[in-house]
Structure formats: C-alpha cells, structure tokens
Amino acid sequence: MNTHYHSEHFRKIAPHYQSLRTTDAEPVEYIAHHLKSVADIHAADVGCGTGRYTSLLMQYLQDKTPIIHGIDYSIEMLKQMHTHFSGNGRGKALREVNASYMKLPFKSESLDCLFTFNAIHHFMPEIFFSESARVLKNGGYIFIYTRLRSQNSRNIWGRYFPLFNEKETRLHESGDLERYASKVPGLHWAQSQPFTFPRSSSANSLLRLAKYHHYSTFTLYTPDELDGAMQEFSENLGLSFVDQDNIQWIDENILLVFQKE
Ligand SMILES: C[S@@+](CC[C@H](N)C(=O)[O-])C[C@H]1O[C@@H](n2cnc3c(N)ncnc32)[C@H](O)[C@@H]1O
C-alpha cells in the first residue's frame, strides 16, 4: 500500500471532506446499544479523519466515556477535526492524536473499544488487528464500519461508473476480515450488522465528486481514464434515470464487531 500516495490524497481533500460525506447515525446507535451494559469506556477512533464519527460516538456514549481519542496520520484531517469538533467547549472530551494504526499510542491492555469508520481499506488488516488486540483489554471490542467489495459494486458508482470495481481493489469482504482477525490469538468475530441507506443526488453533483477526486477511488484513474469514465458515467445516468436532478440509489454498508477474550 502506497502510504505517501494516500496521505497526499487526504492532505488535499481534508478541507472539503466534512461537507462532502453523509454521516450515518445508525451504526453509532447500534454501537451504543451494543455497549449499553459497559460502563467507563476508554476508546479510540482509528483513521478518524475530520472526526465526524468520533464526535457522534461521543454524543451517544457521553455518559459512559470520559474521552475518545481520534487517531489519524493526516495532520490536515486532524486540523479539520479541531476546527469542527474538538476545538470548542463541548469537544473537550475528544482528543486528536497524530499516529498510525500500526503503532497505536496506548499501553497494552488499556482500551475497552476501538472504532474505525470507512478506513479499514486503507489499512493492512493483519497489522490493524494485531495492534488493536495488543491495546485492548480482555473483553474489549473492535467495531469496523465499512462497505464491502460486493456492496460497493451495487452502489451508484459500482453500477454506472466505468472501471470503478476494477480500480477499487482495496475493499474487503466480511469473510476476509474475519479470517485476518481469527489469526490473532484471543481475537474473534462476534457480530455483523448490514445497513442500507436510500440516497439521491443530481447527475451534476455526482460528476463533481468524481472530477475533484472526492473519493480516493478516483485517484486510481489516470486523468485520461477519468475523463472518459466521467463521460460514459454521464451517458449511463442519462439512459437509466428519467430525472437527472433526482438520481436515486441505495448505499450499503456493514458494521463488523470483533471481541478480544
Ligand atoms: C476515508 S477516510 C475516513 C475518515 C473518517 N473515519 C470518516 O469516516 O469520516 C480514511 C482516513 O484514514 C486515515 N488513514 C489512512 N492511513 C492511516 C494510517 N496509517 N494511520 C492512521 N490513519 C490513517 C486517513 O488519513 C483518513 O483520514
């Protein structure tokens, strides 16, 4: 995995990221429900980006957790987190930490939970799981929110944007992640919860997302490939949807829960 390449992408996208993404409360509600009998939670959100999910986790878990660490290796993403969430009075319980998932800045067996949202495909899962298992207490949880390769192939991009599935080789299937976790002593898969979200947008807004590389998948195209793919995408949308200002589709995601015992 080319770390420099991806850090460059997140450096460029950081100022716009917060306004571009749809934040789904449902997985966080599910996590809060899962943790309803756990008190005094020490936790970190790994690959937290601008902190939109770290902040939501804090809203849902505030009675149970004194602090949630937001871990990211992109300083620019963490600066956005500071501006949007942790820099104000309410955000004192969120702490930005510039670090990599490969070497989490916590003592062994010190955390109750690790969360990672939309980031596992940027990590090497075997390292993520072994480092997570090191810092988790016995009984601790890892919550991974992601879209699977198969889910990606059914969304608006996977269905209508040329080469999207061929280019996006980083995503996993849940069985892959379960296998990586099962190789780490003491770690096992506990639960999976799929989510579906009806979405809508205009064709022009979707094309802008591609043009400005607002998903890292678009950085995997050469400029010529991307131009050609955008043209074809626009034609595909024209053929498949009557109203170009109201393109509708379903996004699918999954929450995977692992436990250390
Ligand atoms: C697609 S973004 C998701 C951000 C956030 N979790 C969200 O859902 O909005 C992926 C994040 O993973 C971070 N990341 C990538 N490699 C990392 C690494 N080695 N260690 C820590 N964070 C990393 C990126 O900087 C980026 O902020």
Side-chain angles (χ1 to χ4, degrees), residues 17-18 44-55 57 68-74 77-82 85-86 94-99 115-119 123:
Y17 190 84
Q18 183 65 22
D45 179 15
V46 185
C48 64
T50 57
R52 61 195 181 118
Y53 279 104
T54 332
S55 154
L57 284 162
I68 302 183
H69 298 85
I71 310 282
D72 207 288
Y73 78 164
S74 164
M77 285 296 214
L78 294 176
K79 277 187 193 155
Q80 293 296 319
M81 177 168 171
H82 190 77
F85 302 115
S86 40
L94 302 177
R95 186 170 297 164
E96 307 118 55
V97 186
N98 186 214
F115 312 105
T116 186
F117 288 78
N118 308 306
F123 302 166

Side-chain angles (χ1 to χ4, degrees), residues 91-105:
K92 280 203 183 106
L94 302 177
R95 186 170 297 164
E96 307 118 55
V97 186
N98 186 214
S100 170
Y101 74 91
M102 292 185 171
K103 197 165 188 309
L104 292 170

Side-chain angles (χ1 to χ4, degrees), residues 48 118 129 144 177 196 224 237:
C48 64
N118 308 306
F129 280 121
I144 299 178
L177 293 171
T196 53
D224 282 351
L237 294 182

